[in-house]
Amino acid sequence: VIMERRGGGVVGPSLMTLVVIALLCAQMMAMPTTREKQYRLAKSYQGRTFFDQFTFYTFQDENMHYVNRTTAQQHNLIGVDPVTSAVYMGSDHTTRLKPNTGTSRMTVQVNSVDTYNGGLFITDITHMPSGCGTWPAFWTVGQQWPTQGEIDIIEGINNQRSVRTTLHTGPGCSMQREDPSLFSGAWMPNLNGENGTDCYVNATTQGYNQGCSITGNNPLTFGEPFNSIGGGVFATLWNGTEIAMWFFPRYAIPDDVSSLTPRPATAKWGKPFAYFTLGPKTCPSNNFVDHMVIFDTALCGQWAGTEFEAMCPGLGDCVTFVDEHPEALREAYWLINYLRVFQPVVA
């Protein structure tokens, strides 16, 4: 507020100053927040061109074997439904393997060719991988990890029922001051049993690479329960001030999502299940740079393998189970109707 000096003393603002302030306040109130902006469709991943817009990540260890596109096609691990145009990505569920022989079960990870520094990401999924030994994820990540960040939108293991959403960063990103009323999910605890709100992968109070992780409050958002309701839509809003996630079951997808005119600020969207504030004092937005979008189905590994015996008792160790029981992976597949990326309309 500009103060005026009269006769050497400081007095309150003049009438003109008050008018100017009132006009500025009215203008600020009229300006939409990032969430209230209109959005335009910038990119669509779906149907027969879906895989043309991704590269296939290749890697092999004792847990799994990420194969290239040609191998995936030869073994029917990928495909597009000719009627519905739904995209299929699965794991080998027919070959019985002998453990500790240098072979591992084939599966798929695809990384988008395009990279992003924000946007509204909406994906419609009918079926996601489920079952003991699986570790599926839909996520974004920068080339330089962890300094360019990672956003795990959909992630879980084995027979988990609720989705887990996590940020992984370098040092200097904390959600300790986050208002819990802004989202409906719950923080995963740290090593002290407190909210695990430090997103730094090497945070001393948390397990390695735990990140700041929120579990959704809806027990139909992951795995078999998600598939049993015909899936639904996940939406992620990422901009310079926030990262927020919503889930809409098949029977409750907002009209604006279906009509390609998404409006995250409307009452139909409601409260997100996960919310992370970005800002210079808590978590600068430059922790998330040049992200590619990824779908994958990992098998066993550091997380699913470690928790396997507790979550899937009586089945032995994860790798042996996955190798010797291909039939257990019949549900280890994605069926994706689309992934759409929207950007704010520039006035």
Side-chain angles (χ1 to χ4, degrees):
V1 176
I2 300 173
M3 310 298 286
E4 290 189 345
R5 288 184 174 272
R6 291 180 182 169
V10 178
V11 298
S14 67
L15 178 60
M16 180 61 69
T17 300
L18 291 173
V19 171
V20 171
I21 293 172
L23 290 173
L24 287 173
C25 289
Q27 183 179 12
M28 291 176 65
M29 292 177 65
M31 292 175 62
T33 66
T34 305
R35 192 181 296 185
E36 291 172 340
K37 288 182 178 180
Q38 293 183 341
Y39 290 86
R40 61 174 178 82
L41 180 63
K43 187 80 172 185
S44 183
Y45 302 86
Q46 63 186 110
R48 60 184 180 83
T49 63
F50 181 93
F51 293 111
D52 297 334
Q53 300 174 86
F54 288 86
T55 61
F56 282 68
Y57 172 69
T58 57
F59 172 81
Q60 183 175 8
D61 65 8
E62 71 277 6
N63 299 287
M64 60 201 161
H65 182 189
Y66 285 129
V67 298
N68 60 32
R69 181 172 183 172
T70 300
T71 302
Q73 289 172 324
Q74 290 174 343
H75 292 271
N76 298 315
L77 304 185
I78 61 171
V80 178
D81 189 294
V83 177
T84 66
S85 296
V87 172
Y88 173 89
M89 285 185 289
S91 302
D92 170 35
H93 59 273
T94 61
T95 308
R96 183 180 174 89
L97 302 175
K98 188 175 182 179
N100 303 315
T101 58
T103 59
S104 47
R105 189 157 304 285
M106 291 184 292
T107 187
V108 174
Q109 174 177 315
V110 294
N111 303 349
S112 69
V113 174
D114 289 350
T115 58
Y116 298 92
N117 287 287
L120 177 58
F121 301 79
I122 301 179
T123 184
D124 185 317
I125 300 170
T126 299
H127 187 283
M128 69 171 65
S130 66
C132 290
T134 61
W135 180 359
F138 167 55
W139 50 301
T140 72
V141 69
Q143 291 287 343
Q144 302 298 321
W145 188 91
T147 57
Q148 290 185 324
E150 175 183 334
I151 305 171
D152 297 330
I153 301 168
I154 303 172
E155 188 178 25
I157 56 172
N158 300 318
N159 49 21
Q160 187 173 311
R161 301 176 64 89
S162 296
V163 68
R164 188 176 297 185
T165 294
T166 309
L167 305 185
H168 301 270
T169 70
C173 179
S174 172
M175 299 294 148
Q176 186 175 6
R177 299 179 182 178
E178 193 64 85
D179 182 353
S181 69
L182 296 176
F183 58 95
S184 61
W187 292 110
M188 291 297 297
N190 61 19
L191 297 176
N192 300 321
E194 302 168 339
N195 289 340
T197 54
D198 196 332
C199 307
Y200 179 33
V201 297
N202 291 318
T204 57
T205 59
Q206 298 178 178
Y208 170 68
N209 197 23
Q210 177 177 331
C212 49
S213 185
I214 294 174
T215 298
N217 65 323
N218 186 336
L220 300 174
T221 51
F222 194 81
E224 190 279 329
F226 172 89
N227 299 333
S228 71
I229 62 170
V233 165
F234 283 90
T236 299
L237 178 61
W238 165 24
N239 55 52
T241 61
E242 62 184 343
I243 298 174
M245 288 80 172
W246 291 261
F247 169 70
F248 308 109
R250 179 73 51 204
Y251 53 81
I253 299 173
D255 295 341
D256 59 336
V257 171
S258 302
S259 64
L260 306 184
T261 56
R263 299 298 295 267
T266 60
K268 290 183 179 180
W269 281 52
K271 184 182 296 187
F273 71 83
Y275 187 87
F276 308 90
T277 298
L278 303 182
K281 295 182 178 180
T282 55
C283 182
S285 60
N286 62 8
N287 278 288
F288 306 95
V289 178
D290 295 338
H291 279 208
M292 55 186 170
V293 180
I294 299 174
F295 286 93
D296 73 46
T297 305
L299 302 172
C300 298
Q302 183 182 21
W303 187 17
T306 301
E307 300 293 332
F308 185 80
E309 292 186 18
M311 299 180 72
C312 303
L315 298 182
D317 72 275
C318 189
V319 173
T320 300
F321 175 79
V322 166
D323 284 349
E324 294 185 343
H325 296 278
E327 74 283 356
L329 297 175
R330 287 175 182 156
E331 296 298 314
Y333 67 89
W334 295 94
L335 202 59
I336 302 165
N337 294 318
Y338 62 77
L339 165 63
R340 293 170 179 157
V341 183
F342 295 82
Q343 296 295 347
V345 174
V346 179

